[in-house]
Amino acid sequence: MFQNEPYTDFSVPTNRQAMEAALAKVRSEFGREYDLRIAGERFKTPDKLKSVNPSNPSETVGIHQKATPAMASSAIESAHSFFSEWSRTSAGERIAMLRRAAQILRSRKMEFDAWLVYEAGKPWAEAEADVSEAIDFCEYYALEMERLSDPQPLTQLPGERDEMRYLPLGVGVVIPPWNFPLAILAGMTVAALVTGNTVVLKPSSETPTIAAKFAELLLEAGFPERSFSLLTGSGSAIGDLLVQHPRTRFIAFTGSRDVGLRINELAAKHQPGQIWIKRVIAEMGGKDAIVVDADSDLDKAVEGVAVSAFGYQGQKCSACSRAIVDEKIYDQFLEKLQARVAGIRVGPADDPANYMGPVISESAQRSISTYIEVGKGEGRLITKGLSDNRNGYFIPPTVIADVKPSAKIFQEEIFGPVLAVSKAKDFEQAISMANDSQYGLTGAVYSNNPEHIRQARERFFVGNLYLNRKCTGAMVGAHPFGGFNLSGTDSKAGGPDYLLLFLQAKSIAEKVG
Ligand code: NAP
């Protein structure tokens, strides 16, 4: 029976001290250089990729290599040449490796938490949730693989033995984002590996150290050197080649809409020598809404909106970026929200007193600030800026009220701590406004009206709908995760359908008697 990994309670003094020790240990490793690894070979390149601490960008977290196109090509060829061997290892062996990986990660949890604090700017609790989710993915997919490696029930024709078994696909290119630099990277990678595929992992350029640490852990858990390569480097420099390579069988991608669409388009084009149609598993952006009904518990709704909008600085694909509120309670909601947001503390992520840390990079800071300027013209800014000048990439929690559905900040993914609040004349209009989006990832409704809850179940078009709770924080096993429309290919990470995306079924009928 699957159970989610419990979160460490940092209000317990011993846990807090252990986390402080982990932060100090990780700090002592700042600036270390990591190799790029293709199958069993380690490489250094003249051109380096430097990751920094977004709370203080003068600090270098890790120095990494930048893969060249020739290296990318060689990684795919190596993965292809090992596939026939790896695909024939028993599922039981692969499952055992994955369970060992979960166990090692559990035993080094706070160290990984600390890497997330420093390289991704995650506040402690957010880092802990990310690492816990990575453990969950390992345990859950191990269990799932047990289920799928058993013979699948079929109708037995008279005089035949009929069976169906699942086979891996081949070489998978895994491309994760920086915002869940461990959980999403680990989830996609281990799903591909435990099902018997070989992997070329191209991590985000913002968080390569976390990727390098997880890659070391997988080797320690027993995954063979040749089962996966770690190709750090720029997505724009090697991404197309990885996707287009004729030996690439599938691409598991999580990231922005535009990159996902490009991958989908390039993967669809048949290449000389390619003997399959590539599969694309793409999880993309969101513009998630919380609808607040006239009859709802307003304090709970304000709390749910605030944590969904500003947890991890709004940098979650599931983050609430639109609150759509019934006009009968609109002014009251805004007043309470304004007070709640004014109490949010922003500062370096390693200080647990800060609820919000920095955004990931200077370019993210710039792009979010531009949206805030646009938003000031599209609505009414009701929050304050930061009171002092800081080194890091900080952006205050920002609420813009009276935003119309035609506004840019209502339609476009900002991926930062910016919330648009809009007024609806009734519940029906609120749901229509929520659905007025090219995305369809998460959404929530706060309502005490059973008929409105029923309507939301039926009409709110999102992959993950939450009722009377926040729209972030999907749990593996309980909330299979993935969205509709341009939020992706409708896959569901952490759910019972997910591993099937990395497998193909073979039907075998044998004449007997
Ligand atoms: P991104 O800019 O699309 O990058 C994602 C990954 O794609 C990175 O590893 C990036 O590498 C790589 N990449 C860039 N150009 C590429 C190309 N031409 N070919 C192949 N790969 C390429 O997204 P992000 O900023 O990391 O992540 C934020 C986005 O992810 C948001 O839109 C968010 O909503 C979405 N997201 C969705 C989900 C979900 O489950 N639906 C979950 C988390 C995040 P480089 O870093 O080297 O450029």
Side-chain angles (χ1 to χ4, degrees):
M1 185 60 188
F2 172 75
Q3 283 195 322
N4 295 109
E5 183 68 19
Y7 293 164
T8 305
D9 177 355
F10 291 116
S11 67
V12 175
T14 48
N15 291 340
R16 203 183 167 98
Q17 284 151 13
M19 182 62 183
E20 276 158 5
L23 288 165
K25 178 183 181 298
V26 159
R27 249 181 181 287
S28 73
E29 288 188 43
F30 272 13
R32 212 187 106 182
E33 184 167 343
Y34 298 82
D35 292 340
L36 181 156
R37 194 180 55 78
I38 298 175
E41 271 192 90
R42 268 108 177 123
F43 295 89
K44 289 206 171 22
T45 55
D47 213 7
K48 304 291 179 198
L49 171 70
K50 204 173 81 172
S51 77
V52 299
N53 173 5
S55 298
N56 180 0
S58 65
E59 292 176 331
T60 299
V61 175
I63 297 169
H64 299 263
Q65 317 306 320
K66 278 193 182 168
T68 60
M71 287 172 163
S73 191
S74 147
I76 298 281
E77 293 292 350
S78 302
H80 177 72
S81 68
F82 190 58
F83 173 66
S84 62
E85 189 176 331
W86 178 241
S87 61
R88 284 200 300 268
T89 53
S90 71
E93 280 174 77
R94 299 194 303 263
I95 291 166
M97 289 169 199
L98 188 48
R99 293 213 162 109
R100 267 200 302 278
Q103 195 43 45
I104 300 171
L105 192 49
R106 192 174 283 122
S107 69
R108 290 171 54 193
K109 204 174 181 196
M110 283 197 200
E111 181 199 332
F112 273 90
D113 283 354
W115 282 112
L116 270 80
V117 167
Y118 282 130
E119 196 171 51
K122 289 214 167 187
W124 291 21
E126 297 286 348
E128 173 72 9
D130 192 322
V131 180
S132 303
E133 189 177 7
I135 297 170
D136 283 349
F137 279 135
C138 294
E139 295 285 7
Y140 185 81
Y141 294 149
L143 256 182
E144 277 295 291
M145 192 60 212
E146 265 176 3
R147 177 173 70 85
L148 295 171
S149 56
D150 283 344
Q152 303 300 303
L154 286 182
T155 302
Q156 297 296 314
L157 291 186
E160 274 189 17
R161 186 179 305 123
D162 298 303
E163 68 177 280
M164 186 175 85
R165 58 173 75 154
Y166 287 111
L167 309 185
L169 295 169
V171 176
V173 172
V174 173
I175 308 179
W178 51 262
N179 74 326
F180 280 83
L182 187 65
I184 292 181
L185 177 146
M188 295 197 295
T189 305
V190 305
L193 286 172
V194 77
T195 43
N197 302 286
T198 49
V199 167
V200 176
L201 168 60
K202 208 301 293 166
S204 163
S205 296
E206 306 291 355
T207 48
T209 312
I210 294 159
K213 294 285 167 190
F214 186 69
E216 285 167 13
L217 183 151
L218 286 180
L219 296 178
E220 191 186 331
F223 284 95
E225 291 265 9
R226 295 177 67 202
S227 63
F228 72 103
S229 294
L230 177 67
L231 267 197
T232 43
S234 149
S236 55
I238 57 166
D240 289 0
L241 190 149
L242 292 171
V243 170
Q244 288 175 308
H245 199 290
R247 301 275 199 215
T248 296
R249 177 65 180 84
F250 69 95
I251 298 104
F253 167 80
T254 307
S256 62
R257 178 198 63 183
D258 292 352
V259 174
L261 287 176
R262 179 179 178 82
I263 288 174
N264 193 46
E265 186 179 340
L266 293 180
K269 180 147 180 28
H270 176 261
Q271 301 295 329
Q274 179 183 324
I275 57 164
W276 43 64
I277 293 174
K278 289 175 188 168
R279 199 178 282 180
V280 175
I281 305 150
E283 323 224 14
M284 290 140 62
K287 189 70 195 175
D288 311 304
I290 295 185
V291 167
V292 185
D293 196 6
D295 178 6
S296 61
D297 183 327
L298 214 50
D299 290 327
K300 286 192 181 140
V302 165
E303 185 59 22
V305 167
V307 298
S308 302
F310 303 120
Y312 189 36
Q313 299 80 265
Q315 301 173 116
K316 298 182 189 178
C317 52
S318 56
C320 171
S321 52
R322 299 178 295 156
I324 301 168
V325 184
D326 191 297
E327 64 183 13
K328 293 182 255 331
I329 51 153
Y330 185 79
D331 292 339
Q332 219 187 333
F333 174 86
L334 273 186
E335 199 179 306
K336 283 176 183 273
L337 183 69
Q338 195 175 24
R340 173 67 178 80
V341 173
I344 291 178
R345 224 179 112 154
V346 184
D350 61 355
D351 179 350
N354 295 322
Y355 177 75
M356 274 176 56
V359 297
I360 191 68
S361 64
E362 195 178 353
S363 67
Q365 188 184 35
R366 219 179 306 119
S367 144
I368 299 163
S369 303
T370 306
Y371 271 112
I372 294 174
E373 286 311 308
V374 170
K376 284 182 193 166
E378 292 182 325
R380 177 166 53 100
L381 178 72
I382 64 160
T383 44
K384 295 198 169 62
L386 294 174
S387 52
D388 52 0
N389 282 331
R390 303 163 199 221
N391 287 333
Y393 305 131
F394 296 102
I395 299 260
T398 303
V399 180
I400 299 173
D402 309 343
V403 176
K404 298 271 178 290
S406 56
K408 210 172 153 88
I409 63 159
F410 190 95
Q411 294 292 341
E412 294 182 14
E413 186 183 44
I414 300 172
F415 220 57
V418 182
L419 174 73
V421 186
S422 306
K423 193 188 280 187
K425 73 175 169 34
D426 56 20
F427 187 75
E428 179 151 352
Q429 188 186 49
I431 293 290
S432 300
M433 286 165 71
N435 284 339
D436 179 2
S437 172
Q438 58 179 282
Y439 297 107
L441 190 44
T442 76
V445 170
Y446 281 88
S447 176
N448 295 325
N449 180 329
E451 175 52 22
H452 287 175
I453 292 289
R454 192 195 62 74
Q455 285 174 22
R457 284 180 191 275
E458 212 172 271
R459 291 189 37 222
F460 199 161
F461 193 66
V462 288
N464 287 72
L465 175 64
Y466 298 103
L467 302 170
N468 287 314
R469 52 148 286 175
K470 63 179 181 163
C471 66
T472 53
M475 297 299 286
V476 170
H479 312 132
F481 189 79
F484 301 152
N485 296 341
L486 286 177
S487 291
T489 48
D490 319 311
S491 57
K492 283 283 188 260
D497 307 334
Y498 192 67
L499 288 192
L500 293 176
L501 301 171
F502 299 81
L503 291 163
Q504 54 195 335
K506 179 172 182 176
S507 155
I508 304 169
E510 182 183 5
K511 194 90 190 139
V512 290

